Structures are given as C-alpha cells and as structure tokens.
Amino acid sequence: MILSAAIVFFMGPGLGFFYSGMSRRKNALSLIMLCMVSIAVVSIQWTIFGYSLAFAESTVLDPNDPTADQLASSNASPFLGSPSQLAGLSGVGFDALRIAPAVSSAVFCLYQLQFATVTAGLVFGSAAERIRLVPSLLFIFLWTTIVYDPVAYWTWSYHGWLRNLDCLALATTQSPCGRGVLDFAGGGPVEVVSGFAGLAIAVTLGKRRRIRGETFRPHNLTFVFLGTGILWFGWLGFNGGSAGAGTARAGMAALVTHLAACAGALSWPLVDYATSPATLSGFGLCSGAVAAMVAITPASGYVAPWASLVIGAVAGVLCNFACRLKGYVGVDDALDVWGVHGVGGMWGLVATGLFAQPWIAALDGSVILAGAVEGRWRQVGYQLVSLASAGGWSFCATAAIVIAMRFVAASVPALAWLCELRMDKAEEVLGSDLALMDELAYEMLENVGKEPERFIGSPVLASPEMTGIGFGLGLGGLFGVSATAATGANPQPSPMMTDATAAAAGLGIAVAAEPGVDIDVEKTASSGGRSFLVSSVTRRAAVGGESPAVAPSPHSGSDSSGRTA
C-alpha cells in the first residue's frame, strides 16, 4: 500500500507534463507548477482537517480486540466527517478504519492523500493559460475542503449516504449496510467531481483571449506522451491499491485498468481516422488511453476483463465527441477536463452498474450485489444518483467559490493579489510562465543558418550565423516590451517591417529588423516581446510558399494530429 501511494503520487508530476505538453509554450511551466503546488497545499489541508472531513468514523477498531467497537462520536453523519475527530491526524497510526481493516490508518491516510492531490491538480486543466498562481493556492484549499472532502465521505466513508443508499435509515448507526453506489477507486469523488469543477471554472472565468486569431495547439507532443505513460503507470497503483491489500482483487483491478486503457488508446484515434483525413493521431492515442482509465476507475474492482474492454472502447468514442462539443457551446474548457474526466467518469459509473459481478468482488472476500449484466438494474439507478449528486454539487460549489473570490477581489482591491483568479490581458498575452513566475520552460540556442529559418516557439537568444543581429528587450508599451533587431553597429530598420510595426502598435510592441529577417509580430506579441522567428512551415519571403491551413481541432485546440511545426 505504501508503494501504491508512491505510484499514485507520481501521477501528479505526470499530469503536469501531460497538461504542459497540451498547452502553448509560453504557459508550459506554470501548468507543471500548478500540479506540483496542489500536492503541497492539499497535503497541509489534509493534515489540518481534510482527512477528518473525508474519513472520520463514529467507530474505530481496537487493535487489541478487533471484534469490539469503540464509540468515538455519538453523532455519525451521512454527509461529512467530524472536522475535529482526526484533526491534525491525531489518532492516526496503527488503528485501522472499518472500511480498510487490512492496513493501518497511517498507511490508509497516506494513500488517500494522493487521491486528493491528483484530483485538485486535474481541475486546473480547464482554466489553463488564464489562471493566476497565488489565488490558485487559496482556491485549492477551499475547493478541497468544500467539494472533494464531502463527496469522498459520501462515497467511501463507513457512514456515507451514497455508500448506504439501500439502507439510508441505518447510515448513521453503528451498523450501516454498506449497500449503495459501487465506486471502487473514485469515479465520483475524483473524475466526475474534477470534470464538473473544471466546467464551472471554464464558465465563470470566461474564454482565453485570442491574439489576432491565434490557434490554441499543443506545443509539445513528446510531453503529452511522457505524461500519458506516467499516468498509465500511476493508474495501476491508483486502482489496484484501492483494494486495500495485496489480494487477487487488487491484481484484477490493475489488469482491467490496463486492458481498458489499451481499448481506449485505439478507439479514440480510430474515430479521428474515420472522421478526418486518414492519419492516425498520437495525440488521440494518449487522449483515448486517459479517457478509458477515467472510465474504468469506478468499475475496476467489480468488472471482468471482457467488460473492461467494452468500457474502455466506449469511453474513447464518447469522450472524443464530448471534446468536440466545446466548439459549439462556446465553453473554453482549455484541456478538456469535462470532456475527458466529466464524461468519462459519468460513463464509468453507469458502466459499473451495468457490468458489476459479485465474483470479482469475492476475490478478496467482499460481498456485493450484482449489476444489470446479471439482471439487477437497480444498481444502475444508484450509480445515476451518485453521478448526479457528485457532479451537481461540484459544479455549483466550484462556481460559488470562483464567483466569491472574484467578488472579494473586485470589492477589496487590496486583496486582488490573493483572490483574483483571472489573469489580465497583459499577463495572458505575455504568458503565465513569464508573467507569473518570471521563468521559462525553455531557454535554448538555435542555429538558424545563413538563410533565416523560422520556427514556432523558439526565442532567438543567440546564433553563430546571425552574429550581427542583437535583440534588445526593454520596458514600454502595453506590456512593457520592445523588440529590435539590428545589423552590426548601425541599426537600420527594414522597410518591410513598416506595416508590421504599425499593426503591433496597438499591442504596445515596437519592432524593427534588418532586411531579410522576418519577425512574426503575432508570435512576438503572444510571447511577451521575446523575438521569435516564425515556423518553417509558414515562412514566406525567405523560402517562399504559402502558409498551410490548420485543421480545426476536436480536442484541446490542436489539429487531429496535435503536431506543431
């Protein structure tokens, strides 16, 4: 279980790479930062009272007498754990909770903490490229307390009302029935909650600003593949470890997780292949694998291998089309948190009710009631109650948190640094890496050759073949940026840049260049004044040729392949 906790922890950095690769280059580092800082903030919240809110029970097991119940609270709640019973992790140690009798409460606390940290990081995908870092710290703390902890309690705690839907009258007693929603590893508390929270943030914060028609495309597919691999690795511990012990059921949960991921990794890109020019997208493969693992999460401890293939394949198709919807409804879910985690989580909960089989749970001695595959359709109804309550609460509570924070920022300007979640226009154009961190994901030298090559996203800091060209960056204009290029000791502005300079004036950017060096003003503006040469696929004067058209994206603002130049 400690190893599983370590594996799940690794999903945080993996998510950071996954999100970073899907973003534009100027925001790549801040997304990794958000995923990592979520780990720190949630861990502190979990220690203070978060674990107590999510898992405090009215009874604990006495290690010296496992058959005897010790009353720890006279007011067991079906909605929320006591904020003080386990506050500061007091009492956490050797004693086991009733829902995880095979491991100590210290190990269980560590393991469940990793779930909370990953869930908080997931939410920021919807607000990528426009959310501020410092207010995000407050948001994470509030959101985990108000949204994640209660839903985790409803679903997994000994007295949680969703866990005991079949016997709500007994939920507050010392002997609840434990028959209700089937959610093995977090379809509701992790996936549906993060998906609908992401949707709420996307709606309340508004769309990203487009600078002169720019497209939102993944800047680094290598990072997306790396992140997917880390998430895939982590999900084996995420679902397998949810068995609470090294049992046959844990092995089955890990097995069906892998099988579902494989099915989704094929179904998503095959949909792209059938609906767009015949190319097999690596970006689609990664997206499909993640969507499938989202869907199998609640079902992993209840379904047979054959069912996992169905769940994964359907998830790839459903989430693919869900991600296409944002272009029609006008919601800027930047990295498709709702389309993948919200829709995938909902399908996973329903699929659990369809395909759950008692013999899978019996692999570790657990007893459950069957799903629709064995004629018990009532379980599907319980699953629908779970997704509706978790999704509805997450959306409403998240929207309320964002609106309240922004209201405070507008009403008390002195607190804007802490409460205003939305970046202003200047910061957004500059990019969150430079604007909020004063750091860059990439600092590199490019040899561009004697005939200037032009490429997206690579700042020209120095080049042996361009010795006479110097770039000066200073404060001025709207974003405090001025870029100039000169030859030798006598700078001579190029006539070809006159129109570009005038066009850039509205953005507060002054541009001059030597003859033959073509600076892309749009890229200069969108990256905060760092001078960029344009993509080799869009070069005009130096090499010739027309700029290729960019296909609209079904996912994350990229074309179906997700490739940049």
Side-chain angles (χ1 to χ4, degrees):
M1 286 298 295
I2 294 174
L3 179 59
S4 290
I7 293 173
V8 177
F9 168 85
F10 198 34
M11 294 178 74
L15 180 65
F17 277 106
F18 186 70
Y19 278 174
S20 176
M22 293 168 66
S23 70
R24 289 172 292 173
R25 194 187 70 91
K26 63 182 180 178
N27 303 295
L29 193 62
S30 63
L31 283 166
I32 298 177
M33 177 71 166
L34 281 169
C35 292
M36 295 301 292
V37 80
S38 296
I39 297 174
V41 173
V42 173
S43 296
I44 293 172
Q45 186 269 359
W46 195 253
T47 300
I48 297 172
F49 53 68
Y51 177 64
S52 191
L53 290 175
F55 289 104
E57 299 179 348
S58 65
T59 54
V60 296
L61 297 182
D62 181 353
N64 298 316
D65 185 4
T67 63
D69 290 339
Q70 294 181 324
L71 189 63
S73 172
S74 59
N75 297 310
S77 168
F79 302 109
L80 193 65
S82 167
S84 59
Q85 182 176 328
L86 299 174
L89 302 185
S90 60
V92 172
F94 182 80
D95 296 350
L97 297 181
R98 295 172 67 99
I99 57 171
V103 295
S104 71
S105 56
V107 173
F108 182 77
C109 174
L110 173 67
Y111 180 70
Q112 287 295 333
L113 167 59
Q114 311 313 317
F115 278 56
T117 61
V118 171
T119 307
L122 285 171
V123 175
F124 290 117
S126 289
E129 305 189 326
R130 62 193 186 278
I131 191 167
R132 283 184 168 142
L133 293 179
V134 173
S136 296
L137 305 181
L138 176 60
F139 172 82
I140 296 169
F141 192 95
L142 294 175
W143 185 86
T144 304
T145 302
I146 297 171
V147 179
Y148 178 82
D149 291 344
V151 179
Y153 185 90
W154 303 347
T155 307
W156 291 323
S157 180
Y158 189 61
H159 298 282
W161 71 275
L162 287 176
R163 183 177 180 271
N164 296 285
L165 270 177
D166 207 40
C167 58
L168 284 175
L170 300 176
T172 60
T173 68
Q174 293 189 46
S175 301
C177 66
R179 296 191 305 271
V181 65
L182 296 177
D183 191 341
F184 190 69
V190 177
E191 309 301 350
V192 170
V193 160
S194 63
F196 278 85
L199 180 63
I201 293 179
V203 170
T204 51
L205 283 188
K207 298 180 181 181
R208 289 169 289 178
R209 296 179 176 91
R210 289 185 184 271
I211 308 303
R212 303 175 64 189
E214 67 179 331
T215 57
F216 302 133
R217 297 163 56 108
H219 88 284
N220 192 329
L221 264 291
T222 303
F223 274 13
V224 175
F225 272 97
L226 175 62
T228 301
I230 295 174
L231 289 173
W232 198 324
F233 171 74
W235 235 299
L236 300 179
F238 193 94
N239 291 350
S242 293
T247 63
R249 191 183 187 190
M252 181 63 76
L255 173 62
V256 299
T257 299
H258 176 72
L259 294 177
C262 292
L266 294 176
S267 65
W268 184 306
L270 287 176
V271 169
D272 287 343
Y273 187 89
T275 58
S276 61
T279 57
L280 201 61
S281 167
F283 187 57
L285 181 148
C286 294
S287 301
V290 172
M293 289 186 287
V294 166
I296 197 64
T297 292
S300 55
Y302 304 111
V303 301
W306 68 266
S308 70
L309 294 175
V310 176
I311 294 171
V314 173
V317 176
L318 283 179
C319 294
N320 184 308
F321 285 106
C323 290
R324 298 169 188 248
L325 288 177
K326 68 178 183 180
Y328 297 98
V329 300
V331 175
D332 188 11
D333 180 5
L335 305 183
D336 295 307
V337 177
W338 184 82
V340 173
H341 295 273
V343 174
M346 288 190 291
W347 159 240
L349 282 171
V350 172
T352 304
L354 292 174
F355 300 119
Q357 294 184 279
W359 74 269
I360 298 293
L363 290 174
D364 69 353
S366 298
V367 177
I368 64 166
L369 299 178
V373 70
E374 295 188 10
R376 185 173 174 271
W377 286 89
R378 186 176 187 177
Q379 189 62 47
V380 176
Y382 289 164
Q383 304 300 107
L384 291 173
V385 171
S386 175
L387 72 85
S389 57
W393 174 253
S394 178
F395 182 88
C396 295
T398 302
I401 293 170
V402 175
I403 293 171
M405 288 182 64
R406 301 194 71 189
F407 176 79
V408 170
S411 302
V412 187
L415 294 178
W417 66 274
L418 180 63
C419 296
E420 180 50 71
L421 286 163
R422 178 68 193 249
M423 294 164 59
D424 61 33
K425 183 176 181 179
E427 293 170 332
E428 204 168 326
V429 171
L430 181 62
S432 53
D433 291 0
L434 276 176
L436 305 180
M437 300 176 65
D438 195 26
E439 296 171 329
L440 285 174
Y442 309 99
E443 291 278 9
M444 54 190 174
L445 303 179
E446 296 287 355
N447 186 340
V448 298
K450 294 181 179 180
E451 183 180 68
E453 290 285 333
R454 303 193 302 169
F455 40 87
I456 290 176
S458 298
V460 183
L461 301 179
S463 173
E465 279 72 29
M466 298 179 69
T467 307
I469 298 178
F471 288 83
L473 301 180
L475 298 179
L478 178 62
F479 310 120
V481 177
S482 173
T484 62
T487 302
N490 299 308
Q492 296 295 326
S494 168
M496 66 178 285
M497 296 305 297
T498 303
D499 292 338
T501 303
L507 295 175
I509 299 173
V511 183
E514 68 164 345
V517 178
D518 191 0
I519 303 295
D520 183 350
V521 177
E522 289 186 29
K523 291 303 173 186
T524 301
S526 67
S527 300
R530 290 202 169 213
S531 298
F532 288 81
L533 298 179
V534 188
S535 166
S536 58
V537 299
T538 62
R539 60 194 178 203
R540 299 181 301 276
V543 179
E546 296 296 326
S547 301
V550 178
S553 163
H555 183 42
S556 297
S558 71
D559 61 5
S560 61
S561 70
R563 289 190 295 268
T564 58

